[in-house]
Amino acid sequence: MQLQISQYLSYVMETTWSSSATLTGGLTPLSFHRHITPAGEKFRQLFKSKVSESLTKRRSFALLASNKSSTNFRNDSVREDNINYEESNKSLSLKDYFKQSEHLFRSDGGPPRWFSPLECASQLDNSPLLLSLPAIDGLGLILTLHFQRLGKIFDIWCLHIPIDDRTPFPELVKLVVGTIRSEHYHSPKRPIYLVSESFGGCLALAVASCCPDIDLLLVLANPATSFSKSQLQPLIPLLGNMPDISRVGVPYMLNFLADIPSKMVMGTLDKRLPVQQTIDEITDASIALSSYLSAMSDVLSTESLLWKLKMVKSASAYANSRLHAVKSETLVLSSGRDKMLPSVEEGERLRKVLPKCKVRTFNDSGHAFFLEHAHDLVSIIIGTSFYRRGAYHNYASDYIPPSPSEFRKIYESMSWLENITSPVVLSTLESREIVRGLAGIPKEGPVLYVGNHMMLGLELAPLVTRFMMERDILLRGIAHPLMFTKLKEGNLPDVSSFDFIRVMGAVPVSATNFYRLFSINSHILLYPGGVREALHRKGEEYKLFWPEQSEFIRMAARFGAKIIPFGAVGEDDIFQLLLDYNDQAKIPFLKSFYEELSKEAVKLRSDSVGEVTNQEQHMPVLLPKIPGRFYYLFGKPIETAGRKRELKSRKKSQELYLEVQSQVQRCLAYLKEKRKNDPYRNIVQRLVYQARHGSESEVPTFEH
């Protein structure tokens, strides 16, 4: 029988109730990770056996799910770690959060302590430790909706502070610091994450200020360091004069301010279930919410409410006084519709005060950020390059692929381009026969795809999603550094605009990242023309701007990678280039603006010669056309296996480099000529065809 969180807490409270509530060495006597009491050790052994049993069942279910699924999104780098990323049909919801919280409210007691939810048994080697610090309620369940995905890449402990506990804030800081130092002693190279919301954000910052010598990473959602500007401030004197019977409405008010009811409804609607099932889920969740609020009202005394609010106030002051000592990497998640705290303004303040701080703002989110179905915390962490298992972030081995639901979200946000261009994708078999689809693409890596950029890289989204959906292949794009870092603040798009490309596996261009991707058998997408091709001038459509010397041949040969040249055409069928860089540079203030803009981005190939070095950042002026169609052709794979010694020769590698370039040009010429015979090149003809044969039908193209 699977052991649930509530059973764990009940058992611990029963078996250790007589233990001293004194905090020893910074750890509670209820901790079952280090320094465990005899009763705690007894439970630990039982808990470990249940975890093992649960993992076996869950892996069996995941294997069954993957056999039934038509689309399985994984990546070679994570296959080595034996992770299955199929999503369970029984993912945790707000209903689960309400039920588990209600149980804790009704059966709570004892000192603060750590627990590990069963859903969080880690499946990755060398997983970082994640300490989840509680919000103002003290329950420690704020990550309930994220436990299952987080548990695959982290070793998770949650801090639980019972409602009637009166441990002062400095003692809570000592407790967490003691836990961190103990774990750091046992695993000194293991990063430790502190993930928290609201009050927990103050606790995390205070702890980080005490541990400048330890590798800590903070993820803070709407931290309460701005409590002095909070709408909750007036509650403190009000509660002091409130009759005890009147405080029953306070939990309802707090949950309204946290926007939990509306997020509960929206989370259910986002699942797009049948109408009756949607109604049933909302009804069940509403009942669970009502029961949860009732339980909170029953156990929350006026004294407890006052204590918690004063605790947040003191925590805010304590943390703010020590911000200068925080050296940890920090990721702040700010909600635009936080009714309790001015979180957006606070996020910007912390970004300026903390030396290693990133901020991401979510305009439609409320105070209870982690309880919103719209957010996938794993994807946020991956998208901000904030996940690592060592001292430094490794773009290859530290990458975690998007879950199926996260991929669908990204795909739907970009599907408009595929809908209006109806891409035709062709590949070449070993027999040199050209076929529609990706049958000519090898499944096993390493594979290097080398091709041309269309204007603004518009070919990327349909290409990457087609590989995922048709062949279950995740293309790891070699991207410009401006998508990962800026040399200075200015007018270039914020780095956060490119989080989705990191979620999809893009890495900044460098020889080191190239090597690491090849070493894990990745499918790598490379555009040698880079920015110069993506921001080409008038009359330069489909012209290659490659470096004169080979950049990738010998690296590919070292790993025996297959090289697949490809071409993409269609930009001239969807817009006309009205003003390019040369046109705009004739206007003095625009020329000056673009020169400053280019200084904000890392400049590549500064030691090269030719047009490829002209990487002026600018925004071309485009005139839309009635949409035509995108076309892709992947040539026959070029083998480098067994040619490592041969291709060490500069002359031989240059010959192969020129051959790849020639193959790309042939693909472009083939597509430009063949598309003239496509009866469905125009969107009007395609719409007529789909009206007759169904909107999901594949629109025909030219003979090939």
Side-chain angles (χ1 to χ4, degrees):
M1 186 175 80
Q2 187 175 2
L3 203 64
Q4 300 298 322
I5 296 177
S6 57
Q7 292 174 298
Y8 157 67
L9 290 170
S10 298
Y11 187 93
V12 171
M13 286 188 281
E14 290 169 5
T15 55
T16 60
W17 194 258
S18 59
S19 300
S20 169
T22 303
L23 305 179
T24 307
L27 293 176
T28 73
L30 299 179
S31 171
F32 56 91
H33 296 284
R34 305 280 183 214
H35 313 302
I36 305 169
T37 62
E41 178 62 31
K42 176 182 176 183
F43 183 81
R44 180 176 181 272
Q45 296 302 323
L46 174 63
F47 187 74
K48 283 182 66 178
S49 69
K50 294 297 184 181
V51 168
S52 177
E53 177 185 336
S54 173
L55 272 177
T56 302
K57 290 180 180 179
R58 192 155 64 248
R59 284 174 178 158
S60 299
F61 174 80
L63 181 61
L64 178 63
S66 66
N67 289 335
K68 291 182 178 180
S69 176
S70 60
T71 307
N72 185 17
F73 308 121
R74 291 193 297 269
N75 176 273
D76 291 310
S77 64
V78 293
R79 284 194 189 111
E80 295 175 354
D81 290 312
N82 195 30
I83 302 180
N84 191 296
Y85 285 92
E86 290 300 324
E87 292 179 306
S88 167
N89 292 328
K90 289 277 190 176
S91 59
L92 297 181
S93 65
L94 276 175
K95 178 182 175 183
D96 299 294
Y97 169 78
F98 295 144
K99 287 186 174 180
Q100 292 168 1
S101 299
E102 180 189 354
H103 181 90
L104 289 182
F105 279 136
R106 295 191 185 281
S107 59
D108 213 2
R113 53 197 177 268
W114 298 100
F115 70 91
S116 281
L118 262 184
E119 292 84 359
C120 298
S122 179
Q123 298 181 17
L124 268 183
D125 293 334
N126 305 317
S127 292
L129 175 63
L130 188 154
L131 301 181
S132 174
L133 305 182
I136 188 173
D137 59 11
L139 295 177
L141 297 175
I142 59 169
L143 297 180
T144 297
L145 274 62
H146 308 273
F147 278 157
Q148 289 168 315
R149 282 207 78 202
L150 285 172
K152 294 173 182 177
I153 62 174
F154 287 105
D155 180 11
I156 302 183
W157 303 5
C158 302
L159 179 62
H160 174 65
I161 305 173
I163 284 182
D164 292 327
D165 180 76
R166 295 295 182 266
T167 304
F169 183 76
E171 291 301 311
L172 291 177
V173 174
K174 290 180 182 178
L175 183 153
V176 181
V177 169
T179 301
I180 288 172
R181 293 207 173 277
S182 173
E183 288 305 307
H184 178 69
Y185 175 80
H186 288 87
S187 304
K189 296 182 180 180
R190 186 190 198 190
I192 299 176
Y193 284 71
L194 301 181
V195 180
S196 55
E197 186 176 272
S198 188
F199 162 76
C202 299
L203 181 55
L205 288 166
V207 168
S209 70
C210 300
C211 304
D213 57 322
I214 296 178
D215 187 11
L216 297 180
L217 296 95
L218 315 184
V219 181
L220 315 177
N222 304 322
T225 44
S226 61
F227 187 76
S228 60
K229 303 175 183 177
S230 171
Q231 296 186 42
L232 296 180
Q233 281 273 34
L235 271 181
I236 296 177
L238 182 64
L239 283 171
N241 300 311
M242 181 183 290
D244 202 56
I245 193 171
S246 302
R247 46 86 182 168
V248 295
V250 174
Y252 295 86
M253 181 190 68
L254 293 178
N255 278 275
F256 173 76
L257 289 174
D259 214 15
I260 288 178
S262 65
K263 296 303 179 184
M264 178 183 70
V265 174
M266 292 305 300
T268 305
L269 294 177
D270 286 345
K271 296 179 182 179
R272 302 179 184 177
L273 301 171
V275 175
Q276 188 57 50
Q277 191 174 349
T278 299
I279 294 173
D280 291 343
E281 282 213 9
I282 291 176
T283 302
D284 290 346
S286 299
I287 294 172
L289 172 61
S290 177
S291 181
Y292 156 79
L293 293 174
S294 176
M296 188 190 295
S297 299
D298 289 344
V299 299
L300 267 180
S301 63
T302 301
E303 180 193 0
S304 295
L305 283 169
L306 270 173
W307 169 265
K308 288 188 174 295
L309 288 173
K310 289 179 179 178
M311 172 78 87
V312 179
K313 184 177 181 179
S314 65
S316 177
Y318 189 106
N320 278 311
S321 68
R322 287 162 174 77
L323 288 180
H324 64 279
V326 177
K327 309 301 179 186
S328 306
E329 293 181 55
T330 306
L331 173 61
V332 178
L333 310 176
S334 301
S335 294
R337 296 186 177 180
D338 189 341
K339 298 176 182 177
M340 292 190 182
L341 299 168
S343 294
V344 174
E345 293 83 352
E346 183 64 8
E348 287 304 307
R349 183 181 78 91
L350 292 175
R351 183 177 63 83
K352 295 173 182 177
V353 172
L354 302 177
K356 303 176 184 177
C357 183
K358 301 178 181 180
V359 177
R360 294 296 184 268
T361 301
F362 300 82
N363 293 326
D364 296 327
S365 296
H367 181 73
F369 182 88
F370 292 131
L371 295 181
E372 298 185 11
H373 282 277
H375 307 307
D376 184 329
L377 184 54
V378 170
S379 291
I380 291 172
I381 291 173
I382 298 301
T384 51
S385 302
F386 211 67
Y387 180 75
R388 55 182 171 87
R389 287 179 280 173
Y392 302 98
H393 178 70
N394 185 318
Y395 282 98
S397 61
D398 286 336
Y399 174 67
I400 307 297
S403 65
S405 63
E406 193 66 16
F407 169 73
R408 283 193 294 271
K409 186 187 301 183
I410 294 172
Y411 170 72
E412 288 172 1
S413 70
M414 300 185 295
S415 60
W416 63 271
L417 184 59
E418 182 164 345
N419 292 336
I420 67 171
T421 60
S422 187
V424 175
V425 181
L426 308 172
S427 61
T428 307
L429 303 178
E430 286 291 328
S431 62
R432 296 189 180 277
E433 178 187 359
I434 296 176
V435 297
R436 188 165 186 182
L438 297 172
I441 301 299
K443 179 67 175 176
E444 299 302 321
V447 181
L448 177 63
Y449 304 85
V450 185
N452 69 295
H453 260 318
M454 290 198 287
M455 176 62 75
L456 302 177
L458 287 174
E459 81 290 338
L460 272 167
L463 175 62
V464 171
T465 55
R466 182 62 61 94
F467 266 73
M468 286 280 280
M469 297 173 69
E470 188 173 328
R471 292 300 307 276
D472 185 22
I473 292 174
L474 182 62
L475 295 179
R476 304 296 304 274
I478 304 296
H480 195 284
L482 71 82
M483 299 180 179
F484 299 83
T485 185
K486 293 169 68 174
L487 296 181
K488 61 179 183 178
E489 290 301 316
N491 294 299
L492 276 179
D494 191 79
V495 174
S496 62
S497 306
F498 304 108
D499 283 359
F500 74 97
I501 74 154
R502 290 187 285 276
V503 171
M504 293 301 294
V507 306
V509 58
S510 75
T512 300
N513 287 333
F514 218 32
Y515 178 92
R516 288 171 174 171
L517 290 176
F518 273 130
S519 68
I520 58 173
N521 298 323
S522 298
H523 288 250
I524 306 170
L525 182 60
L526 176 66
Y527 292 96
V531 171
R532 182 61 182 85
E533 275 181 11
L535 295 174
H536 61 70
R537 318 305 192 237
K538 290 178 181 177
E540 294 178 347
E541 298 87 354
Y542 316 125
K543 182 178 179 180
L544 301 184
F545 293 94
W546 289 19
E548 293 182 2
Q549 299 298 318
S550 166
E551 294 183 328
F552 55 84
I553 296 297
R554 279 183 285 184
M555 183 77 79
R558 179 173 184 171
F559 292 91
K562 296 179 177 68
I563 300 175
I564 300 182
F566 73 91
V569 305
E571 65 169 83
D572 52 343
D573 270 356
I574 63 172
F575 57 73
Q576 177 186 346
L577 179 55
L578 280 185
L579 297 175
D580 62 12
Y581 176 78
N582 294 334
D583 295 324
Q584 297 181 62
K586 295 174 183 177
I587 305 172
F589 82 88
L590 275 181
K591 182 179 181 180
S592 176
F593 175 76
Y594 286 144
E595 286 175 351
E596 289 299 314
L597 199 65
S598 298
K599 292 177 182 178
E600 296 175 25
V602 176
K603 187 171 183 179
L604 301 175
R605 300 189 175 111
S606 56
D607 57 346
S608 299
V609 296
E611 272 297 312
V612 73
T613 62
N614 295 329
Q615 301 174 23
E616 295 86 357
Q617 302 293 331
H618 68 282
M619 178 51 66
V621 179
L622 308 173
L623 176 65
K625 294 181 178 179
I626 296 175
R629 203 168 193 183
F630 281 0
Y631 301 86
Y632 302 83
L633 172 59
F634 292 86
K636 185 176 180 294
I638 299 172
E639 295 283 354
T640 65
R643 302 178 64 184
K644 180 178 178 180
R645 184 181 297 274
E646 172 196 351
L647 293 173
K648 277 187 177 180
S649 163
R650 190 176 297 274
K651 180 181 177 182
K652 290 293 184 181
S653 65
Q654 184 67 11
E655 288 175 357
L656 183 54
Y657 177 72
L658 294 176
E659 180 187 341
V660 173
Q661 188 176 27
S662 176
Q663 289 284 355
V664 173
Q665 290 170 331
R666 277 198 283 270
C667 289
L668 291 171
Y670 176 91
L671 292 173
K672 287 193 289 183
E673 182 62 29
K674 281 289 188 177
R675 68 176 175 170
K676 297 176 183 177
N677 301 317
D678 185 357
Y680 300 100
R681 183 175 173 180
N682 187 282
I683 191 173
V684 176
Q685 282 78 21
R686 295 198 298 272
L687 291 174
V688 171
Y689 180 89
Q690 290 182 320
R692 292 175 178 173
H693 298 85
S695 60
E696 300 299 320
S697 59
E698 183 178 62
V699 180
T701 186
F702 54 76
E703 293 185 7
H704 42 272

